[in-house]
Amino acid sequence: MSMETRLVVAEALCGARADTFLAENISSLTRNAAQRILSEGRATRAGIQLCKNDRLKAGDVIVCDVPPPVEYEVVAEAIPLDIVYEDADIVVVNKPRGLVVHPAAGHYSGTMVNALLHHIGPSLSGVGGVMRPGIVHRLDKDTSGLLVVAKNDAAHQALAAQLAAREMGRTYHALCIGRIKQDSQRINVPIGRHHADRKKMAAITVRQSGKSREAATNVTVLERMSKFTLVEARLETGRTHQIRVHLAHVGHPVLGDALYGPKKQPLGIEGQVLHAKGLRLCHPSSGEIMEFEAALPEYFSTAVDRVRLVK
């Protein structure tokens, strides 16, 4: 059964597109879903149907008929996994580049969760919900490397508590555009949803409005090349796209990242050269401190070799 939602456009959102406004103010909607609702005539302003690119005014009352979410069954699929460690409580996976972590709009199969269900069975922790069983933290599709999965609810809750308390160590290597001058720096800039593009996050400075959350990344230079820099990035917080956003914010986006860097990438490299290399956690049952490391994958090493040749 659909649900009628009434929204009033705030002064700060004057001029926003209708599809952007709906996607940012109705939590169940992606931008594509908002556009579909608008194309179906389910959203009105003063009784008049809205179009996706209509601009809104402060005080406008938007009435939106939101259809119920479609339930999908997540099925097990025989997809190979690189299991670094496994016991009765956790699985540590070295995720390859190109693999989506969990089902979502546009990716209802072929994900790491589908593979985990085949490998482990239906006993994965249910804390993350039907679409994200066992998933404690995530990596972007084109980010490779380590992440830990919970095999039961107690393990999930313990690991989530470590994340919240900033007790889980997560270290990345990234290849950035440009030569970074500082040997080390702490990028402490809040991150929030981009004001115009729901697929993007943005560094939100004190001069900007909008919702944001604290975000801090510690960056250390490992090697400088003529026009690129290899860095280690250690997360203090874990916001969506955090390393990519922070490095772009200081003027050194991750090579291959067309979302936050130049649309035309140097050397024609596509997909961010970003790898979750290290993971440190406290085992949820034994209390043992465990550390894992994943070697740089071939795509990353190849990119480094290519940029070293650039004069």
PDB file of all heavy atoms in Angstrom, residues 36-50:
ATOM      1  N   ARG A  36      11.293   8.285 -11.159  1.00  0.00           N
ATOM      2  CA  ARG A  36      10.222   7.389 -11.591  1.00  0.00           C
ATOM      3  C   ARG A  36       8.877   7.812 -10.996  1.00  0.00           C
ATOM      4  O   ARG A  36       7.853   7.810 -11.687  1.00  0.00           O
ATOM      5  CB  ARG A  36      10.564   5.955 -11.179  1.00  0.00           C
ATOM      6  CG  ARG A  36       9.588   4.910 -11.722  1.00  0.00           C
ATOM      7  CD  ARG A  36      10.156   3.511 -11.609  1.00  0.00           C
ATOM      8  NE  ARG A  36      10.523   3.168 -10.239  1.00  0.00           N
ATOM      9  CZ  ARG A  36      11.778   3.048  -9.811  1.00  0.00           C
ATOM     10  NH1 ARG A  36      12.785   3.264 -10.627  1.00  0.00           N
ATOM     11  NH2 ARG A  36      12.028   2.723  -8.555  1.00  0.00           N
ATOM     12  N   ILE A  37       8.890   8.190  -9.736  1.00  0.00           N
ATOM     13  CA  ILE A  37       7.665   8.666  -9.086  1.00  0.00           C
ATOM     14  C   ILE A  37       7.146   9.922  -9.782  1.00  0.00           C
ATOM     15  O   ILE A  37       5.940  10.075 -10.030  1.00  0.00           O
ATOM     16  CB  ILE A  37       7.934   8.931  -7.589  1.00  0.00           C
ATOM     17  CG1 ILE A  37       7.986   7.594  -6.831  1.00  0.00           C
ATOM     18  CG2 ILE A  37       6.881   9.851  -6.981  1.00  0.00           C
ATOM     19  CD1 ILE A  37       8.379   7.739  -5.385  1.00  0.00           C
ATOM     20  N   LEU A  38       8.057  10.825 -10.121  1.00  0.00           N
ATOM     21  CA  LEU A  38       7.659  12.060 -10.800  1.00  0.00           C
ATOM     22  C   LEU A  38       7.105  11.770 -12.193  1.00  0.00           C
ATOM     23  O   LEU A  38       6.103  12.374 -12.610  1.00  0.00           O
ATOM     24  CB  LEU A  38       8.845  13.011 -10.876  1.00  0.00           C
ATOM     25  CG  LEU A  38       9.256  13.648  -9.536  1.00  0.00           C
ATOM     26  CD1 LEU A  38      10.684  14.159  -9.591  1.00  0.00           C
ATOM     27  CD2 LEU A  38       8.309  14.772  -9.158  1.00  0.00           C
ATOM     28  N   SER A  39       7.741  10.841 -12.908  1.00  0.00           N
ATOM     29  CA  SER A  39       7.268  10.519 -14.261  1.00  0.00           C
ATOM     30  C   SER A  39       5.902   9.843 -14.239  1.00  0.00           C
ATOM     31  O   SER A  39       5.139   9.920 -15.206  1.00  0.00           O
ATOM     32  CB  SER A  39       8.281   9.622 -14.973  1.00  0.00           C
ATOM     33  OG  SER A  39       8.346   8.343 -14.359  1.00  0.00           O
ATOM     34  N   GLU A  40       5.594   9.192 -13.113  1.00  0.00           N
ATOM     35  CA  GLU A  40       4.294   8.520 -12.973  1.00  0.00           C
ATOM     36  C   GLU A  40       3.217   9.455 -12.429  1.00  0.00           C
ATOM     37  O   GLU A  40       2.076   9.041 -12.211  1.00  0.00           O
ATOM     38  CB  GLU A  40       4.437   7.319 -12.042  1.00  0.00           C
ATOM     39  CG  GLU A  40       5.307   6.196 -12.623  1.00  0.00           C
ATOM     40  CD  GLU A  40       5.587   5.095 -11.611  1.00  0.00           C
ATOM     41  OE1 GLU A  40       5.217   5.272 -10.424  1.00  0.00           O
ATOM     42  OE2 GLU A  40       6.186   4.076 -12.008  1.00  0.00           O
ATOM     43  N   GLY A  41       3.572  10.731 -12.208  1.00  0.00           N
ATOM     44  CA  GLY A  41       2.589  11.705 -11.736  1.00  0.00           C
ATOM     45  C   GLY A  41       2.228  11.556 -10.278  1.00  0.00           C
ATOM     46  O   GLY A  41       1.160  12.000  -9.844  1.00  0.00           O
ATOM     47  N   ARG A  42       3.122  10.999  -9.481  1.00  0.00           N
ATOM     48  CA  ARG A  42       2.832  10.735  -8.071  1.00  0.00           C
ATOM     49  C   ARG A  42       3.207  11.892  -7.143  1.00  0.00           C
ATOM     50  O   ARG A  42       3.042  11.785  -5.927  1.00  0.00           O
ATOM     51  CB  ARG A  42       3.567   9.472  -7.601  1.00  0.00           C
ATOM     52  CG  ARG A  42       3.064   8.168  -8.211  1.00  0.00           C
ATOM     53  CD  ARG A  42       3.949   7.004  -7.769  1.00  0.00           C
ATOM     54  NE  ARG A  42       3.447   5.723  -8.214  1.00  0.00           N
ATOM     55  CZ  ARG A  42       2.679   4.923  -7.508  1.00  0.00           C
ATOM     56  NH1 ARG A  42       2.291   5.286  -6.298  1.00  0.00           N
ATOM     57  NH2 ARG A  42       2.272   3.761  -7.972  1.00  0.00           N
ATOM     58  N   ALA A  43       3.757  12.986  -7.689  1.00  0.00           N
ATOM     59  CA  ALA A  43       4.142  14.116  -6.855  1.00  0.00           C
ATOM     60  C   ALA A  43       3.538  15.399  -7.418  1.00  0.00           C
ATOM     61  O   ALA A  43       3.602  15.651  -8.624  1.00  0.00           O
ATOM     62  CB  ALA A  43       5.662  14.232  -6.785  1.00  0.00           C
ATOM     63  N   THR A  44       2.964  16.210  -6.536  1.00  0.00           N
ATOM     64  CA  THR A  44       2.308  17.447  -6.975  1.00  0.00           C
ATOM     65  C   THR A  44       2.726  18.623  -6.102  1.00  0.00           C
ATOM     66  O   THR A  44       3.154  18.463  -4.957  1.00  0.00           O
ATOM     67  CB  THR A  44       0.779  17.307  -6.912  1.00  0.00           C
ATOM     68  OG1 THR A  44       0.383  17.032  -5.555  1.00  0.00           O
ATOM     69  CG2 THR A  44       0.289  16.186  -7.818  1.00  0.00           C
ATOM     70  N   ARG A  45       2.562  19.820  -6.674  1.00  0.00           N
ATOM     71  CA  ARG A  45       2.747  21.076  -5.950  1.00  0.00           C
ATOM     72  C   ARG A  45       1.523  21.916  -6.221  1.00  0.00           C
ATOM     73  O   ARG A  45       1.216  22.218  -7.381  1.00  0.00           O
ATOM     74  CB  ARG A  45       4.022  21.771  -6.423  1.00  0.00           C
ATOM     75  CG  ARG A  45       4.194  23.190  -5.878  1.00  0.00           C
ATOM     76  CD  ARG A  45       5.509  23.821  -6.313  1.00  0.00           C
ATOM     77  NE  ARG A  45       5.673  23.809  -7.772  1.00  0.00           N
ATOM     78  CZ  ARG A  45       6.763  24.241  -8.393  1.00  0.00           C
ATOM     79  NH1 ARG A  45       7.790  24.693  -7.690  1.00  0.00           N
ATOM     80  NH2 ARG A  45       6.835  24.212  -9.710  1.00  0.00           N
ATOM     81  N   ALA A  46       0.796  22.269  -5.169  1.00  0.00           N
ATOM     82  CA  ALA A  46      -0.453  23.022  -5.315  1.00  0.00           C
ATOM     83  C   ALA A  46      -1.412  22.309  -6.274  1.00  0.00           C
ATOM     84  O   ALA A  46      -2.106  22.954  -7.064  1.00  0.00           O
ATOM     85  CB  ALA A  46      -0.173  24.443  -5.789  1.00  0.00           C
ATOM     86  N   GLY A  47      -1.422  20.989  -6.219  1.00  0.00           N
ATOM     87  CA  GLY A  47      -2.327  20.199  -7.043  1.00  0.00           C
ATOM     88  C   GLY A  47      -1.873  19.993  -8.473  1.00  0.00           C
ATOM     89  O   GLY A  47      -2.552  19.326  -9.249  1.00  0.00           O
ATOM     90  N   ILE A  48      -0.723  20.542  -8.821  1.00  0.00           N
ATOM     91  CA  ILE A  48      -0.204  20.429 -10.193  1.00  0.00           C
ATOM     92  C   ILE A  48       0.957  19.439 -10.212  1.00  0.00           C
ATOM     93  O   ILE A  48       1.862  19.509  -9.374  1.00  0.00           O
ATOM     94  CB  ILE A  48       0.250  21.797 -10.723  1.00  0.00           C
ATOM     95  CG1 ILE A  48      -0.930  22.774 -10.727  1.00  0.00           C
ATOM     96  CG2 ILE A  48       0.844  21.667 -12.119  1.00  0.00           C
ATOM     97  CD1 ILE A  48      -0.540  24.202 -11.082  1.00  0.00           C
ATOM     98  N   GLN A  49       0.918  18.544 -11.170  1.00  0.00           N
ATOM     99  CA  GLN A  49       1.951  17.515 -11.262  1.00  0.00           C
ATOM    100  C   GLN A  49       3.328  18.128 -11.458  1.00  0.00           C
ATOM    101  O   GLN A  49       3.518  19.044 -12.254  1.00  0.00           O
ATOM    102  CB  GLN A  49       1.630  16.569 -12.419  1.00  0.00           C
ATOM    103  CG  GLN A  49       2.635  15.440 -12.603  1.00  0.00           C
ATOM    104  CD  GLN A  49       2.254  14.528 -13.756  1.00  0.00           C
ATOM    105  OE1 GLN A  49       1.080  14.340 -14.044  1.00  0.00           O
ATOM    106  NE2 GLN A  49       3.263  13.957 -14.413  1.00  0.00           N
ATOM    107  N   LEU A  50       4.305  17.603 -10.715  1.00  0.00           N
ATOM    108  CA  LEU A  50       5.682  18.062 -10.830  1.00  0.00           C
ATOM    109  C   LEU A  50       6.447  17.238 -11.853  1.00  0.00           C
ATOM    110  O   LEU A  50       6.192  16.045 -12.030  1.00  0.00           O
ATOM    111  CB  LEU A  50       6.396  17.927  -9.477  1.00  0.00           C
ATOM    112  CG  LEU A  50       6.204  19.047  -8.448  1.00  0.00           C
ATOM    113  CD1 LEU A  50       6.823  18.626  -7.125  1.00  0.00           C
ATOM    114  CD2 LEU A  50       6.852  20.348  -8.927  1.00  0.00           C
TER     115      LEU A  50
END
